[in-house]
Amino acid sequence: MFCLNMWAFCSGDGVKGDLTSTCSYMFHFVLNPDFLPQKLNDNILPFSAFLRDGFGRRHNYLRISLTEKCNLRCQYCMPEEGVKLTPRNQLLSTSEVLTLARLFVQEGVDKIRLTGGEPLIRADVLDIIAELKKLQGLKTLAVTTNGINLSRLLPKLKGAGLDLINISLDSLVPAKFEFIVRRKGFHKVMEGIDKAAELGYNPVKINCVVMRGLNEDELLDFVALTETKPLEVRFIEYMPFDGNKWNFKKMVSYQEMLDRIRQRWPDLERLQAGPADTAKIFKVPGFTGQLGFITSMSDNFCSSCNRLRITADGNLKVCLFGNSEVSLRDALRSGAPDEELLQIIGAAVGRKKKQHAGMFSISQMKNRPMILIGG
């Protein structure tokens, strides 16, 4: 029956792109016992074949966008006029979010990050976190937030089971902060960072998108924050998405940032990172915290990518910079059983390319604004 379902799926309109390679890959699971997924509630296999791509990458990290809405208007994330939001009835419901999360964790995902928009403006975010923490096999539950509502919600978030926090902060100068995010709120973000450290989050990760002419002059100030606080400041290369007016001249490369920091702290040391970590991690000897660089543009880490993304409207994206998406929402609402959902997921993961197209090519590609992807 599994083979017949697979054949029907691969012969229909559900698979776009290279049908031959995708279906050959999917049938490989059936014909090769080493790759055949066992029953859905079986955790004996080291990792599900449905979440392993054609290059051997295991996707155990899922990012779920809870909303397209945000209370900021960051320049690198969305156009000044905002974006057209998806009608509410086309967004994933709470039960749909939890159903998909359960399925992915069942197949080997052990880390989930909640993103947005701004995930903390979703009214039921605490309920979602509490339910996700009940999933057997989930080791880490994280959130990426702009920090505006964080200080107020953090005690309850921690109580619900939140393990890790990433907070966006692109300037330490209040007026410049407001210019970059097009809204007020600097002091609320700083309160949220302090509250996270107070409640024992270590490290508290700070995401800083570095843009030439805006905040590259603050690199040393951000590093200095790590001297006495348990922070990991992560400098992110400016990436192109629809509406953010990316150009090469605005991008500050990892090497340029590193050189500038080493002029001030020549003994800066590189730390060992995990095999699937996106950040290159460094530390100033004697400092409490550390810093990292997300080098998506100048030095991609595609070969070790273990991430999948579900957008707020229920599309699965296997690559942040890819414009290929498949709707899990539509499959769910049509009554698809778990087996069929897994076939759709496996086909999408099987089509994942070896690496993204490179900074100049992706700057010309049509892709969603970052706020509609979920980071």
Side-chain angles (χ1 to χ4, degrees), residues 202-236:
N202 187 4
V204 179
K205 294 184 178 181
I206 308 299
N207 291 345
C208 176
V209 178
V210 181
M211 296 165 285
R212 194 178 309 280
L214 278 181
N215 61 352
E216 87 277 15
D217 59 332
E218 296 186 61
L219 286 169
L220 303 186
D221 296 329
F222 272 102
V223 175
L225 283 181
T226 70
E227 182 172 4
T228 58
K229 296 183 177 182
L231 307 179
E232 181 181 306
V233 176
R234 296 154 67 91
F235 298 115
I236 303 173

Side-chain angles (χ1 to χ4, degrees), residues 234-248:
R234 296 154 67 91
F235 298 115
I236 303 173
E237 291 179 339
Y238 184 34
M239 297 177 281
F241 295 95
D242 281 7
N244 73 355
K245 299 180 180 178
W246 184 92
N247 68 63
F248 179 72

Side-chain angles (χ1 to χ4, degrees), residues 152-272:
R152 174 174 57 86
L153 289 176
L154 195 51
K156 292 181 179 179
L157 290 168
K158 185 176 179 64
L162 185 67
D163 298 307
L164 296 177
I165 302 173
N166 285 48
I167 305 168
S168 297
L169 178 65
D170 303 303
S171 177
L172 298 173
V173 180
K176 194 189 295 186
F177 171 91
E178 292 178 15
F179 177 74
I180 293 173
V181 307
R182 304 186 179 112
R183 295 290 188 274
K184 296 183 181 297
F186 172 79
H187 297 292
K188 289 183 178 180
V189 178
M190 297 305 293
E191 287 174 10
I193 292 171
D194 290 339
K195 190 70 170 180
E198 176 188 324
L199 290 181
Y201 286 96
N202 187 4
V204 179
K205 294 184 178 181
I206 308 299
N207 291 345
C208 176
V209 178
V210 181
M211 296 165 285
R212 194 178 309 280
L214 278 181
N215 61 352
E216 87 277 15
D217 59 332
E218 296 186 61
L219 286 169
L220 303 186
D221 296 329
F222 272 102
V223 175
L225 283 181
T226 70
E227 182 172 4
T228 58
K229 296 183 177 182
L231 307 179
E232 181 181 306
V233 176
R234 296 154 67 91
F235 298 115
I236 303 173
E237 291 179 339
Y238 184 34
M239 297 177 281
F241 295 95
D242 281 7
N244 73 355
K245 299 180 180 178
W246 184 92
N247 68 63
F248 179 72
K249 293 180 180 179
K250 290 183 180 179
M251 194 195 83
V252 183
S253 72
Y254 150 64
Q255 193 59 56
E256 181 180 343
M257 289 187 271
L258 186 61
D259 290 346
R260 186 175 300 191
I261 292 168
R262 276 193 163 140
Q263 288 178 10
R264 172 64 179 82
W265 290 284
D267 55 350
L268 186 71
E269 59 184 16
R270 178 95 180 247
L271 303 183
Q272 184 70 37

Side-chain angles (χ1 to χ4, degrees), residues 117-153:
E118 169 48 44
L120 298 190
I121 66 174
R122 179 154 171 161
D124 60 352
V125 64
L126 291 170
D127 295 331
I128 290 174
I129 289 173
E131 289 301 313
L132 289 175
K133 285 297 289 186
K134 296 177 183 178
L135 295 176
Q136 186 175 1
L138 184 65
K139 297 177 181 177
T140 305
L141 182 56
V143 69
T144 295
T145 172
N146 61 30
I148 297 294
N149 296 334
L150 184 60
S151 180
R152 174 174 57 86
L153 289 176

Side-chain angles (χ1 to χ4, degrees), residues 296-315:
S296 302
M297 302 304 291
S298 68
D299 185 14
N300 75 67
F301 34 82
C302 300
S303 63
S304 61
C305 181
N306 67 337
R307 291 154 182 76
L308 300 172
R309 291 171 171 81
I310 298 177
T311 61
D313 59 353
N315 280 8

Side-chain angles (χ1 to χ4, degrees), residues 284-297:
V284 178
F287 279 23
T288 300
Q290 57 198 33
L291 55 143
F293 300 89
I294 309 295
T295 63
S296 302
M297 302 304 291

